[in-house]
Amino acid sequence: MQSGGKQRRAESQIPGCPSAPCLNGGTCSNDGTSFSCSCPVGYSGDLCEIEVKATCQARGDPHYSTFDGTLYDFMGRCEYILAEDSVNNTFEIRQVNEPCGNGNFSCTKSLTVIFPNVTIQLLRGSVVVNDSEVDLPVSYEGVNIENITRSGVGLTLVESAYGVKVEWNNVHNVRVTVYGRYINKTSGLCGTFNRNSADDFLTANGTIVENAVNFGNSWKTDSCCDDATDVPHPCWTYPDRNATAIANCSALLTHPFNVCTSQVDPVSGGYIEDCEYDVCGCGDDPTVCVCQAIEAYVADCASYGVNIDWLSDHRYQQCGSPCASAPCCNGGTCSNNESSFYCLCSLGYTGARCETEVKATCQARGDPHYSTFDGTLYDFMGRCEYVLAKDSVNNKFEIRQVNEPCGNGKFSCTKSLTVIFPTVTIQLLRGSVVVGGAEVDLPRYYEGVDITRSGVRVTLVDSDYGVKVEWNNVHNVRVTVYGRYIDKTSGLCGTFNRNPEDDFLTAYGTTADNAVNFGNSWKTDSCCDNATHVPHPCETYPGKNATATANCSALLSPPFNVCARQVDPVLQGYVDDCEYDVCGCGDDPTVCLCQAIEAYVAACASYGVSIDWLSEDRYQQCSSPCASAPCCNGGTCSNNGLSFLCSCPPGYTGDRCETE
C-alpha cells in the first residue's frame, strides 16, 4: 500500500501526466516538475473533482434570484416553469403562484417537480407522488423526499441523482440547486445557467427581453391565465408602512444575523430590499412576510454552513406560531388556535386550508328536466337555442343548448350544444364534434381546452377556465363550474350563489315567477315560438302510469341503491323525472327509460360510485344502437345489427334525418 502511494506521487511528476490525475474529463498539462488540470465546463478544483453548482431562489412575494444572480420581482398568478433542462428534458420544476398580502402581490402556492421516473407535487401540508398522497420520508429510483429542519426552519427537501435539489419551506420560499452538468442547458424563471447574467431573461419563445414582466409571462404553462403586469413598489403605494418595514428588516444587519454577513451580504444580496417590499405589501399584519423574509436569509446562510439561532430571540417567537407558516391557501385568513390554526376561507374555496375550489353542477336530463347550480329543479319544454350557462361578468365561457321535439312530439330533448371559450368554439352534435366550422376526430386539444370521449357515448369538454361539459350525445347534459364563478353565472343553469331563490333570473335582469317565462327569456333567437306550459304526461296518459312506476322505481333497488346516500333518487328528482319521461315517450319508452337511468348513474359516478347496470338482462336494450336516439327531427329508429336505420318524417333526410 505504501509503495503504491509513492509510485502514484512519483508518476504525477513525470512529463506527460501518465497517471491521468485530472477527473471528469479534465485535461492535464505538465511543466516538468508539476501538473495542472484544465477543467471542462461544469467542474472545478485542482483535479476537476468538484462539480460546480448554482442556486435559484423564489422568496417572498416572490422575488427571484436566477442561477446567474439576476434579481427581479414578478407578480404572476398562474403556473410557471421555474426551471427546466431545455436540452435533454431530464427535469422540470413548475411553480404555482397565488394572490397574497393585500391581493396585489403573489406568493408560491405549490411546486411540481418532474423527473423521468417520478412526478412530485409539493403542496402546503402534503406531498403527492404520481397522483397519490405519500408520507415522508420516501424514496424512488434516484430521488429522495424528506422533511428536514435547518436553523429552526422546517423544509421539504427533494434530492436526486439527476443533479437537481429542491427545497421549499411550505410557505413562500423556494430554492432550486442544479449542478454543473446543466451549464448552458437551463431555462425558465430561474434563467440560463451559464455564468452570464446578460441573457437571463431568455423567454420561452427563444428571444431575450429587457423586463421581468414580459419574461415571466412567457413561462406560463396555461395561456388562459391573465398576463401579470408591473406592480409599483408597495412602499411607494403605502408610504405609511415604510417605518415598520425599515425597523423590521434592518435587523438583518444586526445580531444574531450579522454572523453571516461575510458569506451572504443582506444588502447586495437583495434580502433587506425584498423584506421591506414584502412588509409594505403584506397588509395590516406583516408577521408572515417578516418571518418569511428572515427565513429566506437564514436558509441562504445555512447553505454556506452558517446556522443562525434566531427563533429563540423573543422578537421572533411569533415566527414559530402556526399562522406564521401561512397555512391558509387562496386568500384564506388565518387565526392561531393554541398549537394549531383555523382558516376562514374566501368566497369560492373550502377545506381546512382553503385548498379546495368549490364546484357546482347543473344538469339538463331527459325531456329536459333542469337542475340548476344551486339545486332548483324545473321542467322546460322549449324548442329553440337557449343560453344554458355563461359567465355574465367576464365572458370567460358560454354554453348554448338546442332543444328539439321528442317523445310523442309534445316534449323536447337536447339536440346539440355549443361551448364557447375565448380560444375556441365547439359544437357538440349527435355523433360528431365541430370546431371552427370543421368536423374533428377525438381526442382533440386546444389552448386550455381538451375534448375527449369518456366511455362509449359521452363527449367530455374539460378546460382550464374552470368549466367542464359532459354530454352523452342523447338527452343528458352536465355542466360543472368552479368557485371562481360564484355570483357570475346566468342562463338556464341559474345563478351560482348558493341561493336558489334567485335562480329564475331572466336575461332582462328580473326574476321570473315560473320556469316557462324564465326559460323563454334565454332564447338566442327571438323568432322561435315561446314555450308554453306542458301538463304532466302521466296525467295526460294515465294508462302509462303503471309502466312508468314499475320501471322507474328500480332506482330504489339494486344495483342502484348503493348510491342512495350520495344521490337520493327521490329528493333529487330522478324518479319523478323518469316517470315523466316514460309517460311522455310514446309507445316505446326504451330511450326515455335508458336516458333517465343513465342520468342517475352519471350523477353517482361524479361522487365516485360506479354502478354496473348494463350487464343486467333487463337493461341490455340500453346498449342497443337505437337507445342512443340517433335519429333527429322525429325520425324513427330501427336496430340493424350493430348499427341503426332512421326512417325520416316528411321534409327531412340524411342518415340521422339531420338535414331539412
Side-chain angles (χ1 to χ4, degrees), residues 591-642:
V591 170
C592 294
L593 174 63
C594 294
Q595 288 302 299
I597 294 174
E598 271 196 30
Y600 183 72
V601 169
C604 292
S606 73
Y607 285 91
V609 181
S610 296
I611 298 175
D612 178 18
W613 64 292
L614 289 172
S615 62
E616 295 205 5
D617 291 342
R618 54 182 170 157
Y619 298 122
Q620 285 185 0
Q621 59 186 346
C622 295
S623 298
S624 69
C626 284
S628 66
C631 305
C632 305
N633 299 303
T636 302
C637 184
S638 302
N639 290 311
N640 183 23
L642 296 177

Side-chain angles (χ1 to χ4, degrees), residues 385-387 390 490-492 505-507 518-524:
E385 181 184 68
Y386 302 89
V387 175
K390 71 174 184 176
S490 57
L492 296 184
L505 182 70
T506 67
F518 165 63
N520 285 328
S521 80
W522 287 107
K523 289 188 302 186
T524 65

